[in-house]
Amino acid sequence: MQSLKDKIAQLAKTMGKSAPQGPLKDYSTLRKEYEEQANKEVLQMQLEAKKQRIENIHGRSDLNPAWTFNNLIEDTADVKEAVSIARSFIAAHGDPSWRRSGSHMMLFYGDYGRGKSHIAGAIAHELIEKYEISVLYRQLSSLLEMRYFSYDFNAKDDAGQRFREITQELMTVDLLILDEVCVNESQLKKSAQGWLGTLLRQRYSQNKNCILITNHDLASLEQAVGPYCFESIKEYDTYKVRFSGPSRRKTVQDDLPSSPKTGGYVPNQVR
């Protein structure tokens, strides 16, 4: 018959522990201590694995790390309203039925420097941290430029292959943020309209969410992206957020240092 000491030694070996030295504890007490320690170690491993997954998502997102709610100054009514809508959008991800219910889109529109990209980035950072949502931030103009060069069959830089790879990621990422949609464009080329519309429709069919950021108002956006693409946007459960406050970007004059002698500006010190 196995002795108590042998049982404890066998338990320690099974759980990857060394047998205790000194006075023997009650078998059930010792087993409980081993299990609690094992649970702590498992929890620590899970936390470290989650931290690594979140770091990997951040690394692939291409987000500006400064785009957080902590860095945002809520000094105007439009920004306060946008933040309120943004936080509701984030909180909704905690409901699995909402996440399965369809495709959702936040449409941020308004003039330059109003905080559209910053708030979109803040949403993305929180979704990564809280729910491990995969995110990809891209400027539409850079994607269309890549698309254009992907048709250069004489190119030797694998532009076509790289564009196919990023297109696959655009299709599958949980949250796609497209910035500068039709910036400085009164109307996209027909081929670009079709490509963007198809991308949005395919994401819609897979219940993938989007944030579109544009300097156009809604009427001119419809003209710029064309009817096919705009119909794709309308398919989504859309949250339209208008930014109308003052620009938060510094002017060139704000960045120029003053001359200590004359009080004027020193042009050759602009960086």
Side-chain angles (χ1 to χ4, degrees), residues 98-153:
W98 181 88
R99 293 171 67 169
R100 294 191 300 266
S101 65
S103 301
H104 308 274
M105 176 181 291
M106 300 194 78
L107 181 56
F108 289 176
Y109 65 102
D111 210 347
Y112 297 98
R114 268 55 180 180
K116 301 185 298 297
S117 300
H118 188 132
I119 294 179
I123 292 170
H125 281 302
E126 292 220 2
L127 288 177
I128 293 171
E129 293 289 338
K130 290 184 176 181
Y131 304 110
E132 297 183 44
I133 298 293
S134 62
V135 175
L136 187 63
Y137 169 87
R138 286 289 185 269
Q139 293 181 347
L140 179 61
S141 56
S142 65
L143 290 175
L144 295 178
E145 185 175 325
M146 288 179 63
R147 178 176 177 271
Y148 173 79
F149 284 111
S150 71
Y151 289 107
D152 184 359
F153 298 106

Side-chain angles (χ1 to χ4, degrees), residues 5 24 33 73 80 96 128 130 135-136 162 175 179 186 209 254:
K5 184 176 180 179
L24 294 177
E33 288 179 0
I73 300 174
K80 291 177 182 178
I128 293 171
K130 290 184 176 181
V135 175
L136 187 63
R162 286 190 291 110
L175 175 65
D179 202 351
S186 59
N209 298 336
D254 291 334

